[in-house]
Amino acid sequence: MKIAVLVKRVADSETRVKVGGDGTAVDPAGVQYVINPYDEIAVEQALQLKAGASAGGEVIIVCLGPKDAAKEVRKALAMTADSAVLLADEMPYRDSYGTAKVLADELKELSPDLIISGRISIDSQVGAVAPMVAQMLEMPLITEVSSLNLEGETLTCERAFEGGKEVVEAKLPALVTVQKGLVEPRLPKLPDIMKAKKKPMTEKPAAEIAPKIKVLSMELPPPRAGGEIVGEGAEAAPALVKKLKDEAGVL
Amino acid sequence: MDLTEEQQQIREMVREFAVKEVEPIAHEIDETRRFPKETVERMAELGLFGIPITEEYEGAGGDNLSYILAVEEISRVCGSTGITLASNFSLGTYPIWAFGTEEQKRKYIPDLASGRRMGCFGLTEANAGSDAGGTQTTAVKKGDRWILNGTKMFITNASYAYTCVVTAVTDKKAKKKHQGISAFIVTKDMKGFTAGKKLDKLGLRGSDTAEIILEDVEVPEENLIGEINGGFKFFMQTLDGGRISIGALGLGLAQGALDKATQYARERIQFGVPIGRHQQVGFKLASMATEIEAARHLVWHAARLKDRGLPYSKEAAMAKLFASEAAYRATKDAIQIYGGNGYSREYPVERYFRDAKLCEIGEGTSEIQRLVISRTLLNE
C-alpha cells in the first residue's frame, strides 16, 4: 500500500510573529519553522498504517514549499517515512488553488492508495487545499478524522465534532484530513535522524500558477488590555456584575 | 552558529523531548530527590546515550557536537537529567570507547550506547579530589586477577550503573604518585562491589550521586584499560571530554534561566511597565545573553575540535570554566529579576541556581581549570 502525506512547513506557534514591510505577509526574520502540527499527526497515522499492514507499504512525503523546507521534510523522513518529494516553490505568494493544483498533479503521478493531510495549517488557516486536491483527483474526501480503520480497500473513519460524531466509510483511493487526538506523533530517534539523510528526496520546481486571490492586508490582533481589580470579597460583587453587564456586555 | 542540518534536527528533537517529557517533572524530581528511571528509558529509546558511537556498536553514528547539543538542550529544562546523560556518556562510556581494547568495546559498548545499561566513572576519593595522585584504592595482582580495595565517592549514576571504570594504585613505589595508577572496568555483579550511601546535595537532586565500595573485588586481567600504570594520562583525557559536557550543562542551565527571566520580565508589571523596560533589568538580560553566547562559542568550539581530531584540552578547560561561571552569574541574576518570587520554590529559577553551582566544582573545579589553562600557556 502506498500512502502519501501532505506536509507543510509553518512558523512555530512559539514564534512571536511580526507582519513584514509590505503589510501582506509575515516577516520571515527570526522565525522558527516546524512541520504543521496537524500534518505531523498525518505522518504518524500513515506510519502506523504501514506498520499494521500485513503486505507492508510505503509512506511518501509530499511537500510544497521553499527549498529550505527540506529540513522539515527530513524530519518526516526521520520519523521513518520512506521517501519524499519537495516541490520547490519560488512564488512569493501562492493561494490554495495554486497549491492544490501543484500537489494534485504530483499525486496523479505517484498514484497513492491513500492520501493523508492535517485538517488545516496553523499559519494561514484556510483548510482548503486538501478538499481541493480530493476534488481535482476525483477522490472521496473525509475531513476532520478522529479515528481511522482500514480493512482491505475499505476505510472507516470517525469524525468527532462539537455535539456528536459521525462514522463514515469510503473505498480507496481516498483522501482524509486528520485532527488532534487521532494519534500522538513520535519523536524521531537519533539513529533514524542519521539515516534520514540517505533516504530518497526528490526536489523539483513547482509550476507557477497565477493566484486567483490577492492578500490586501494582514495585521496582528490588538494587544490584550490589562485587567482591572474591582474590589475584594463579596461587597465587590455588585460592581463586578455591573461592569460585566455594561462595559464588557457579556451578561 | 552554523550547524549542519543533522545537528539542527538532533537539537530540535531533543528540545521537543526536553520540553514535553523532561521539564514537566523537573521540579518534582528535585523536590523529592527522585532518579527518573522513566526518563532514562526514554533517552535510551531515542538513542541519546550513544550519539557519537558508531552504528556497529549500537550507537547513532553522530558527532561529538551533536552529543553536546543534546546535553545543552536537556540541561536547559533540567540540570539533573542533563548531568545523568553527560556523565553516562563522557565518564561511563567514553573511556571504554576511546581507550578500551576491541574485546572490551564489543563486550560493554553496545549495552551502554543503546542505554540498556548505565555506566559510571570512579576517580574521586576522600583524599583524591583535585589531587588525583592521592588515590588510595589499590589493585594487587594475584594470578590472572587484580584484587581491588577502596572507596570512591561523589560518583554520578553509581546506584544505577552496571559498569564502573575505576582508578587504583598499582605501583605504590612509583617515583611520582600519579605514575602508579591504573584503570579497570568493574561491574556490579562482581563480588565485593557495592554502591553505597547516596549523597544529599544542594542541587541536581534528581540525579544519582553515591559512593562505590570495593572489598576484595576480583577483576579479571583483561579488564585493565590501557597500559598498566598508565591510568593518569587516561583519566586526564577522559576528563578533557567530560569538561566539554559540563560546559554544556552550564550553558543549558544559563540559557534556561535566561529564557525564564526574559519571559518574566515581559509579563511582570511594576511602575506601570513590564520590568524588562526598566534599564536595570533590561541590561541584566543583555549581559546574561551576551555571556551565554560567548559560552556557547567556547563550548561548541571545543566540541568541534574534538570532532576534527585536533587537540582540545585547553579549549575544553576554557569552555568549562567560562560556561560554569556564566551559568552561576546568569542563574543568580535570574533570581534577582524574579525578586521575591525568585527566592521561592514555587518558581524554577532557584533550582537553576542550585544546579549551576555544581559546574564550578564537578570534573575539575574552576581553580583546576585555571591551572590547566595556565600550564598550557606556560608550556609546563
Side-chain angles (χ1 to χ4, degrees), chain B residues 189-303:
Chain B
D189 48 15
M190 288 178 180
K191 201 165 161 265
F193 177 97
T194 338
K197 219 175 94 199
K198 291 192 182 190
L199 192 68
D200 190 2
K201 310 187 291 282
L202 170 72
L204 301 174
R205 294 171 63 83
S207 72
D208 174 58
T209 314
E211 287 177 345
I212 280 180
I213 302 151
L214 305 163
E215 279 172 308
D216 291 326
V217 179
E218 289 188 27
V219 181
E221 200 171 41
E222 66 265 23
N223 281 26
L224 173 81
I225 303 188
E227 285 167 30
I228 188 129
N229 298 328
F232 187 79
K233 202 177 143 205
F234 151 86
F235 65 68
M236 290 306 277
Q237 285 176 359
T238 298
L239 291 180
D240 280 344
R243 280 167 188 159
I244 310 177
S245 74
I246 298 298
L249 173 69
L251 175 57
L253 287 166
Q255 182 65 54
L258 175 65
D259 296 342
K260 301 272 185 286
T262 308
Q263 179 75 11
Y264 192 79
R266 273 198 200 112
E267 287 166 3
R268 166 86 173 159
I269 311 278
Q270 287 289 273
F271 303 102
V273 292
I275 57 170
R277 293 245 206 101
H278 297 300
Q279 205 176 69
Q280 296 247 29
V281 174
F283 278 21
K284 258 198 180 69
L285 292 172
S287 299
M288 286 159 81
T290 307
E291 287 199 13
I292 290 167
E293 196 66 8
R296 184 166 290 124
H297 275 272
L298 287 171
V299 171
W300 290 14
H301 175 61

Side-chain angles (χ1 to χ4, degrees), chain B residues 110-175:
Chain B
D111 280 347
L112 290 164
S114 64
R116 282 191 297 273
R117 280 174 160 163
M118 297 190 76
C120 67
F121 186 65
L123 172 65
T124 303
E125 298 179 10
N127 294 313
S130 294
D131 176 14
T135 299
Q136 285 170 335
T137 294
T138 55
V140 177
K141 191 83 186 276
K142 200 174 145 190
D144 59 353
R145 323 213 125 217
W146 288 91
I147 312 298
L148 269 67
N149 277 289
T151 302
K152 299 286 177 178
M153 63 194 290
F154 301 159
I155 311 304
T156 310
N157 295 333
S159 318
Y160 300 93
Y162 173 72
T163 47
C164 180
V165 175
V166 298
T167 51
V169 176
T170 37
D171 181 6
K172 282 185 190 166
K173 292 178 204 131
K175 259 194 206 153

Side-chain angles (χ1 to χ4, degrees), chain A residues 16 32-34 40 70-75 78 184-185 187-191 193-195 197-198, chain B residues 5-6 8-10 12-17 20-21 42 45-48 51 55 59-62 266:
Chain A
R16 297 162 74 89
Q32 293 286 326
Y33 293 96
V34 294
E40 217 165 45
K71 185 170 136 282
E72 281 64 44
V73 173
R74 288 268 183 230
K75 186 187 174 185
E184 189 60 37
L187 284 172
K189 292 178 184 174
L190 234 131
I193 294 177
M194 304 303 295
K195 280 175 207 144
K197 70 176 168 189
K198 289 169 210 143
Chain B
E5 193 188 290
E6 246 161 52
Q8 285 180 51
Q9 297 273 13
I10 291 169
E12 279 170 28
M13 180 276 275
V14 180
R15 183 174 296 174
E16 200 177 335
F17 165 67
K20 279 191 183 157
E21 302 184 40
R42 275 294 280 155
E45 216 174 275
L46 292 171
L48 298 188
I51 299 177
E55 283 170 62
R266 273 198 200 112

